[in-house]
Amino acid sequence: MRRSAWHGCCRTAFALLAGGASVAHAQEAFTQSDFGGVGLLQTPTARMAEEGEFSFVLSRTTPYTNYNVSMQPLPWLEGSFRYTNVSNRLYGPRSLSGSQTYKDKSIDAKVRLWQESRWLPAVAAGARDVGGTGLFSSEYVVASKRAGPFDFSLGLAWGYMGARGDIANPLDILSDRFSTRPTGGTGTGKFSINKFLRGRPGFFGGVEYRSPWDWLILKAELDGNDYKHQPQKNNQPQRWPVNLGAVFRLNRNVDLTVGYERGNVVTAGLNLHSNLARHVDPPKTFDPAPEPLAAAAASSDVPAPQRTAPEQVDWHAVADRLRDNAGIDVSRIGRRGSELVIHGEQQRFFYTAEGVGRATRIVDRRVDDSIGWLTVSSERNGLPIVETSVHRPRFVELLDDRLSLADFRRSVEQDPVTARDEELLYRAPLKRFTGGTSLGYQQNLGGPDAFVLYQVYGAASGTFNFNRNLWLDGVLAVNLANNYDKFKYDAPSNLPRVRTDLRQYLTRSDVTLPNVQLTGTRRLCQDLYGLAYAGMLESMYGGVGGEVLYRPFGERWAVGADVNWVKQRGFRQDFSLRRYHVITGQATAYFNTGFHDVTVAVSVGRYLAGDWGSTVDVSREFANGARMGAYATITNKSGSAGYGEGSFDKGIYVSIPFDMLLPHSSRSRATLLWQPLIRDGGARLNKRYTLYTLTNDLDGDLFDKNLEKIRE
């Protein structure tokens, strides 16, 4: 089954790209090629975008239309994935996919080997279509050198980009096998390394001219492809090998490219791009204004609460104010001598420092000077996570601009939550029930039934709290609109159908219960957390399970494990169950390398189809919390005939805090996941809660890098 899944809020991500972002771009912001990735038209250059750049490129060069997403997670690493629509070839037999045209999917990567210096050019190496059918596969080395407004590039490519075959393969001296490049694809979803650097290569290159006008960039390119050896016998005429193009920068987030390629084809491309690392959040016009400090309030016409000793404060009113203005759902408030401690869960502000700053303002207006320190003891679903303490007088000096942020940092402490004597001033009553409604969207891309299969649904969610560590919650979803009537193809599979029954789950009922579960949490001891759950755990599985996580305070690593007994749910996603059941779970080690904030997570265990293997997830998190990552799963069924199309599981994702997108603060995220093929091998349980996520407030780096938010 050729199936691609995008999960999360795609509309929000594209709103970010289309112009909602305000980003400071460097003067040398490089443009994207027809295939995505920084380049000229058909070919890449050795240039890299700014780290954090995220681009969506739609380009049309008859008979190909490319839909590209490119990411720059590191200064020297570029990654892209792409769908290519071949408009003059059918997807397959008309009995299967009707008149739908052929869709090819692929993954590209480019690595900069060294940067440009005064005398030497920048040099990069890369590969196209390394994870797909290999129809457009190509490997290359390219150098780029700037001279004033001109940027020259010259490269050597094997495969599609070098199909003209200008010279004999230089690698023939190593082995005769490099002289011939295998023909045909390698199987959908497999890495086509059997073709790497084989066959006669061709030269490519060109020049990019930055005009005196910021909105215009001109390109000229020598194409290394003669279009006489196109995949699917789709050869194209070429009058001359020089391509010409112009890029019009409509604004800081939108580029329009027009070109003339192969000497006979007019081309066009649209690039929507934003830098996630440098993104400036929109003004939070729907957030309440932070309270002024006591001194500022006294000099204004606004009446301020009277400052009193802690024993005389109306703490119930303060707790309400902390919820409404600082986003803290208070569980209790206590005193340790001159230190006031607020225990609660941050439910509004993505950046912890912002909630702490607002809480300090609220306390400053109501409590006398007997309190010198304010501590917010962060909780998450009943788990104590971290204590953040602020020296109150120094905070006042910071807001009065009498103290720099760097000096103030020495007056902020983050400590593990430990049992300490505390005078209880207030205990909040437990809110038994919470709920809400929302709209949702899901889609599947690239299948034989239709390129885009989508559903818009309404969802109602509710939570009943037995106590702060035990709750029952669930989601009811109602279909509003979809085109799943076209969804008729089930992929062949020799493994238990643990995921490839997707069509059945999406089409059997308009009203579903994707999740209903009882969940409990507990801190088992210092730095050791526990989670247990039972119910309908996700749309396809119900059962029971548990997880433990050891995450030492102040460390960059954590280890955990989960084990689950699950049974397959009925296709209508109600309370019925099918016969298939399995014990599944993984042990996982997490490590923040400290190198460009790259985190590596390695899991080992048993998957839903009963296969055993390992998943490696590598992600880069930027200072504002945006994240780019990729994962791959290999099991004892990978590469076997039993696994089927795709050979092993893999995916690329982008996770963007809603706080970066919305005019109000939010702790939620929009996650965009591209999973080329949904297969049965390497499939994991989609748990609603994970301990690593629940303990994210232990990430001291995110707090330190956004400490300036404490002023807001």
Side-chain angles (χ1 to χ4, degrees):
M1 177 171 64
R2 295 183 176 183
R3 188 75 58 206
S4 294
W6 292 59
H7 302 288
C9 190
C10 299
R11 295 169 298 168
T12 310
F14 285 111
L16 171 67
L17 294 173
S22 175
V23 182
H25 285 265
Q27 292 182 351
E28 290 192 346
F30 297 104
T31 58
Q32 301 274 311
S33 70
D34 296 345
F35 279 78
V38 175
L40 294 169
L41 295 165
Q42 288 287 307
T43 63
T45 67
R47 303 302 183 189
M48 294 282 179
E50 287 186 277
E51 59 180 328
E53 193 77 4
F54 181 68
S55 297
F56 171 75
V57 179
L58 170 64
S59 67
R60 172 66 175 171
T61 305
T62 305
Y64 305 115
T65 301
N66 291 318
Y67 307 87
N68 316 288
V69 171
S70 295
M71 297 180 285
Q72 190 78 38
L74 296 168
W76 47 267
L77 176 64
E78 173 188 276
S80 304
F81 62 87
R82 174 177 53 260
Y83 281 98
T84 298
N85 176 49
V86 186
S87 59
N88 60 352
R89 294 291 186 271
L90 290 178
Y91 193 104
R94 288 188 178 273
S95 59
L96 173 66
S97 51
S99 59
Q100 184 186 178
T101 53
Y102 185 79
K103 307 297 188 302
D104 184 73
K105 58 180 73 70
S106 57
I107 299 175
D108 305 348
K110 181 171 72 176
V111 177
R112 184 173 61 205
L113 302 181
W114 63 78
Q115 297 194 57
E116 180 180 6
S117 65
R118 182 175 182 180
W119 302 111
L120 295 177
V123 178
R128 278 186 183 167
D129 202 359
V130 294
T133 59
L135 296 183
F136 300 93
S137 64
S138 191
E139 306 81 51
Y140 60 89
V141 178
V142 60
S144 297
K145 189 75 176 75
R146 180 172 293 285
F150 297 95
D151 194 23
F152 297 93
S153 294
L154 179 64
L156 186 66
W158 292 258
Y160 184 83
M161 284 196 301
R164 190 171 56 245
D166 297 315
I167 61 173
N169 196 335
L171 299 176
D172 287 349
I173 61 174
L174 300 178
S175 172
D176 291 342
R177 69 185 182 89
F178 285 106
S179 61
T180 304
R181 190 175 182 90
T183 59
T186 58
T188 300
K190 295 183 179 180
F191 283 111
S192 46
I193 58 175
N194 67 317
K195 296 183 178 183
F196 270 26
L197 305 177
R198 297 178 65 174
R200 291 177 62 89
F203 290 104
F204 67 90
V207 59
E208 181 178 279
Y209 170 66
R210 293 184 174 271
S211 75
W213 304 283
D214 292 340
W215 51 268
L216 178 63
I217 299 171
L218 302 178
K219 298 181 177 184
E221 170 188 72
L222 172 66
D223 199 338
N225 189 358
D226 60 6
Y227 298 90
K228 295 179 180 178
H229 310 281
Q230 291 295 96
Q232 302 174 311
K233 298 181 180 180
N234 201 3
N235 296 341
Q236 302 295 315
Q238 184 190 59
R239 291 178 58 195
W240 59 72
V242 175
N243 303 326
L244 303 174
V247 180
F248 301 93
R249 314 214 81 163
L250 303 184
N251 61 43
R252 65 179 64 186
N253 298 107
V254 182
D255 296 345
L256 177 64
T257 301
V258 294
Y260 190 61
E261 301 184 21
R262 305 201 298 260
N264 55 19
V265 175
V266 176
T267 66
L270 178 67
N271 176 16
L272 308 178
H273 57 96
S274 180
N275 191 292
L276 301 184
R278 300 179 182 274
H279 176 82
V280 178
D281 298 347
K284 303 303 182 189
T285 53
F286 292 97
D287 279 357
E291 290 197 358
L293 295 173
S299 62
S300 70
D301 296 331
V302 179
Q306 183 179 0
R307 301 175 78 197
T308 62
E311 294 77 12
Q312 299 172 340
V313 172
D314 182 354
W315 289 112
H316 178 78
V318 172
D320 288 344
R321 193 61 184 154
L322 288 167
R323 180 194 63 230
D324 296 338
N325 193 269
I328 300 174
D329 181 20
V330 175
S331 60
R332 71 181 192 275
I333 298 174
R335 181 180 183 178
R336 304 167 185 164
S338 63
E339 177 187 9
L340 184 74
V341 186
I342 299 170
H343 300 265
E345 181 172 339
Q346 177 55 249
Q347 297 186 329
R348 171 179 291 173
F349 295 104
F350 180 79
Y351 304 106
T352 304
E354 187 169 359
V356 171
R358 285 174 172 254
T360 307
R361 290 168 176 262
I362 291 169
V363 170
D364 182 71
R365 294 190 67 191
R366 293 162 175 82
V367 183
D368 64 18
D369 293 336
S370 63
I371 295 298
W373 285 85
L374 174 72
T375 295
V376 175
S377 183
S378 172
E379 300 174 350
R380 189 74 185 273
N381 292 101
L383 294 174
I385 308 298
V386 62
E387 290 188 350
T388 305
S389 302
V390 175
H391 189 243
R392 180 179 170 187
R394 303 276 281 181
F395 178 74
V396 173
E397 292 178 20
L398 174 71
L399 295 192
D400 287 343
D401 295 321
R402 291 182 282 130
L403 188 69
S404 69
L405 187 66
D407 290 336
F408 173 72
R409 180 63 186 92
R410 295 193 290 268
S411 303
V412 179
E413 294 182 6
Q414 284 202 298
D415 300 295
V417 179
T418 57
R420 298 171 61 184
D421 291 337
E422 187 174 297
E423 176 190 354
L424 181 65
L425 299 175
Y426 173 75
R427 184 179 298 279
L430 178 67
K431 189 173 183 179
R432 291 291 182 181
F433 180 80
T434 59
T437 59
S438 62
L439 287 176
Y441 175 78
Q442 62 179 347
Q443 65 182 20
N444 293 73
L445 298 180
D449 301 300
F451 180 56
V452 179
L453 293 167
Y454 70 89
Q455 182 190 41
V456 179
Y457 60 91
S461 60
T463 301
F464 182 83
N465 297 293
F466 297 96
N467 55 52
R468 297 191 184 276
N469 294 90
L470 181 65
W471 67 95
L472 176 70
D473 61 356
V475 178
L476 174 71
V478 179
N479 172 63
L480 299 179
N482 69 70
N483 65 343
Y484 286 159
D485 57 306
K486 299 179 180 179
F487 199 172
K488 299 177 181 178
Y489 176 72
D490 288 326
S493 179
N494 294 321
L495 294 175
R497 284 190 174 274
V498 296
R499 287 298 182 204
T500 52
D501 276 330
L502 174 68
R503 179 183 68 85
Q504 306 270 27
Y505 284 97
L506 291 177
T507 59
R508 285 294 183 91
S509 178
D510 286 336
V511 180
T512 61
L513 282 170
N515 173 258
V516 182
Q517 71 179 63
L518 179 69
T519 309
T521 61
R522 182 177 293 274
R523 187 169 71 154
L524 303 175
C525 62
Q526 188 70 43
D527 300 325
L528 183 64
Y529 304 90
L531 176 70
Y533 40 85
M536 301 302 171
L537 305 179
E538 52 140 292
S539 58
M540 296 187 185
Y541 290 92
V544 297
E547 180 186 1
V548 292
L549 176 74
Y550 181 65
R551 189 170 185 175
F553 178 84
E555 300 291 343
R556 294 181 176 272
W557 58 272
V559 292
D562 70 292
V563 62
N564 313 274
W565 180 90
V566 294
K567 196 167 186 179
Q568 208 164 41
R569 295 181 61 182
F571 293 142
R572 298 181 65 85
Q573 295 183 54
D574 49 20
F575 289 101
S576 64
L577 296 171
R578 307 182 72 221
R579 295 182 61 183
Y580 181 78
H581 60 88
V582 66
I583 295 176
T584 180
Q586 290 84 35
T588 304
Y590 309 86
F591 179 61
N592 183 332
T593 63
F595 175 75
H596 289 283
D597 292 309
V598 171
T599 296
V600 179
V602 180
S603 301
V604 178
R606 194 183 195 209
Y607 296 83
L608 285 171
D611 47 336
W612 294 81
S614 179
T615 298
V616 178
D617 186 302
V618 182
S619 62
R620 162 74 189 278
E621 184 172 80
F622 300 100
N624 57 14
R627 186 182 301 124
M628 297 178 179
Y631 74 90
T633 299
I634 297 177
T635 75
N636 59 341
K637 299 297 183 181
S638 296
S640 69
Y643 188 95
E645 182 184 13
S647 178
F648 65 96
D649 190 34
K650 59 270 185 185
I652 300 173
Y653 60 89
V654 177
S655 182
I656 305 170
F658 273 115
D659 202 77
M660 295 172 56
L661 310 171
L662 302 176
H664 62 82
S665 297
S666 172
R667 288 180 64 86
S668 300
R669 285 179 171 270
T671 299
L672 187 66
L673 168 68
W674 185 70
Q675 188 178 4
L677 295 166
I678 294 180
R679 302 302 305 159
D680 294 317
R684 304 177 74 171
L685 185 67
N686 295 327
K687 298 192 298 179
R688 184 177 177 91
Y689 304 100
T690 65
L691 285 173
Y692 194 76
T693 301
L694 291 178
T695 57
N696 271 347
D697 283 349
L698 284 169
D699 184 359
D701 289 343
L702 186 64
F703 177 84
D704 287 337
K705 291 174 182 177
N706 294 280
L707 183 60
E708 75 279 355
K709 296 285 185 179
I710 205 167
R711 301 174 186 264
E712 299 178 7

